[in-house]
Amino acid sequence: MNRRTVDVLVVGAGPAGLAVATALAGTGAGSVEVLEREQETGGVPRHCDRGGFGLRDLRRPMSGPTYARHRTAAALRAGAVLRTGVMVTGWAGPLTVETTSRTGLEQLSARAVVLATGARERPRSARLVPGDRPAGVYTTGELQQAVHLYGQRVGERALIVGAGPVARATVGTLRRAGVEPVALVTEEPGLLPRPGLRRPVPVLTGTAVTALHGRGRLTGVALRRHDGGTAVVACDTVVFTGDWIPEHELARTAGIALDAGTRGPAVDASFRTARPGVFAVGNVLHGVETAGAAALEGRRAAVRVRRFLDDGRWPEVRVPLVTEGALRWAAPNLFAPGDAGTRLLLRAERRIVRPVLTVTQDGRLLHRERLLRTAGPERSLVVPARWAGRVDGDGGAVRICLGQGYG
């Protein structure tokens, strides 16, 4: 078995991992190596053949594949080493991973490890939708790869499960493939914002998928409304969108604590996990955010990694952040001394217009404000944690609650 050492090891070559590698290699952090299990770098944008990438982090519009190539080229120009087709299979020490690839087994040690393993959509089986396993059942990622990477024929009539931004992008992919989207289905009740599609698609709110019909090929999808009514929509394709879960396997096998809300590694504002020297960044922390948001996180994380390489400091004690009320999760979810100026990402379980945010610690009110933006399950709120400097590092958990009113 080959054994090597680098200064920084990045696992995952999506937008976050490539941004970390670019920033570190470009500032003289030593040898920076990125491992990617796929055969190409760039992550999910590689098969998102639509515009809108790059606006947030690069200030110019690109298609997904162009964005992926741009990020890859920037990392290479900065001096990072990118290796594809390399699977990290486990840990051989606190900062040593085991890998397998076409060239064989390897143990790779580093002064700092950055987990940027991204997220994946939960498939039909994980959503516990009963039925046989007919052809024509996709997640968004599977659909995009079938259409954009392999040019496969998908079907004729499709039902889309979900009504968020990813579902709207799915409608565009289906139409370009010559498939008629018959409806968007979501369990979220009430009226939702208009999907913003040039050719509208019916949105069935308060409706759940209860079964798939068909054996060799999908023939229909059974639905149940919140009032108990049922129906079967005839279609030969169904696409499950959204419902992302972090790819946390490598963090979990390291014994790194996961956050109960995000289901990703718990980190502080410097992207530090519970294991000294191991950072985590991007969608492995919280499921889906945009590629630009992940890349910006990667750029910020690089500053913290560089600081750790210089001074080796790692906080011994951190205060956990606990979500309450309508909050599904918050990130980061640990507070370390000196975390003043932190920005929190908040994701709600349901839509709340102008919600009220309350932050307490050991019964002491740290902050309360009414937010101007609507909270919801499809998009995160970004909230400056100006109150972070008042967190008692020796106190109990900080509790953050999102509600409808002041009560």
Side-chain angles (χ1 to χ4, degrees):
M1 177 182 291
N2 187 35
R3 292 179 173 83
R4 293 190 298 118
T5 299
V6 297
D7 289 296
V8 181
L9 179 64
V10 181
V11 184
L18 291 173
V20 168
T22 301
L24 284 170
T27 54
S31 55
V32 179
E33 187 160 317
V34 184
L35 305 182
E36 170 56 50
R37 66 184 178 184
E38 301 285 343
Q39 297 303 317
E40 294 183 41
T41 57
V44 169
R46 288 185 301 116
H47 48 76
C48 291
D49 194 13
R50 58 176 174 81
F53 289 88
L55 287 171
R56 187 167 180 179
D57 53 325
L58 303 174
R59 304 296 181 190
R60 53 191 171 113
M62 300 179 181
S63 70
T66 301
Y67 179 84
R69 289 192 292 271
H70 176 93
R71 280 283 170 205
T72 297
L76 290 171
R77 280 197 307 272
V81 174
L82 309 185
R83 296 175 60 204
T84 58
V86 181
M87 173 73 78
V88 177
T89 57
W91 298 82
L95 295 175
T96 301
V97 300
E98 297 174 325
T99 73
T100 182
S101 68
R102 288 175 295 179
T103 58
L105 304 178
E106 187 175 48
Q107 284 189 358
L108 196 51
S109 300
R111 296 169 59 202
V113 175
V114 182
L115 303 179
T117 47
R120 56 183 165 82
E121 284 176 299
R122 293 206 312 157
R124 162 265 185 96
S125 57
R127 304 185 193 213
L128 304 179
V129 176
D132 289 324
R133 301 178 63 182
V137 181
Y138 297 88
T139 63
T140 310
E142 292 169 343
L143 175 73
Q144 290 170 336
Q145 292 188 47
V147 172
H148 299 309
L149 293 188
Y150 305 115
Q152 296 175 346
R153 183 177 180 274
V154 176
E156 296 182 356
R157 287 169 52 86
L159 183 79
I160 298 120
V161 183
V166 178
R168 294 196 291 274
T170 299
V171 170
T173 299
L174 289 168
R175 283 176 168 160
R176 282 193 291 276
V179 184
E180 178 191 2
V182 295
L184 304 174
V185 177
T186 175
E187 294 187 46
E188 190 173 353
L191 294 175
L192 299 179
R194 297 173 68 85
L197 299 169
R198 289 183 178 178
R199 284 186 289 154
V201 178
V203 180
L204 308 180
T205 60
T207 303
V209 173
T210 55
L212 305 184
H213 294 316
R215 298 185 70 86
R217 178 78 197 193
L218 185 75
T219 58
V221 175
L223 305 177
R224 184 181 62 241
R225 297 193 303 269
H226 69 283
D227 61 2
T230 60
V232 175
V233 176
C235 58
D236 60 8
T237 304
V238 60
V239 186
F240 290 90
T241 72
D243 199 357
W244 299 82
I245 183 170
E247 284 277 14
H248 58 220
E249 185 69 13
L250 195 56
R252 188 178 60 78
T253 56
I256 292 172
L258 304 181
D259 180 74
T262 63
R263 295 180 286 184
V267 295
D268 59 25
S270 294
F271 304 95
R272 295 173 294 203
T273 69
R275 175 176 286 195
V278 178
F279 296 78
V281 65
N283 283 330
V284 69
L285 295 180
H286 37 55
V288 66
E289 294 292 334
T290 65
L296 289 173
E297 275 193 2
R299 194 181 300 170
R300 292 198 301 272
V303 177
R304 273 68 172 192
V305 175
R306 182 60 193 272
R307 188 178 303 164
F308 169 73
L309 293 175
D310 291 339
D311 63 22
R313 292 182 181 176
W314 204 265
E316 295 182 359
V317 178
R318 285 173 289 186
V319 178
L321 183 66
V322 177
T323 57
E324 297 180 336
L327 272 181
R328 179 180 297 173
W329 54 255
N333 23 55
L334 297 173
F335 277 96
D339 271 350
T342 303
R343 295 190 329 154
L344 292 177
L345 279 180
L346 306 177
R347 187 66 68 100
E349 292 181 341
R350 63 179 188 276
R351 291 186 77 242
I352 304 178
V353 179
R354 300 196 67 192
V356 172
L357 182 71
T358 305
V359 186
T360 61
Q361 184 185 28
D362 298 330
R364 178 170 58 100
L365 180 66
L366 299 180
H367 183 72
R368 177 177 287 168
E369 72 172 306
R370 185 180 291 278
L371 305 179
L372 298 179
R373 288 186 56 190
T374 298
E378 302 290 353
R379 194 177 297 277
S380 297
L381 296 173
V382 182
V383 180
R386 301 185 184 92
W387 39 267
R390 298 198 292 277
V391 172
D392 182 356
D394 296 322
V398 173
R399 298 185 178 277
I400 183 166
C401 178
L402 202 66
Q404 188 67 63
Y406 282 103

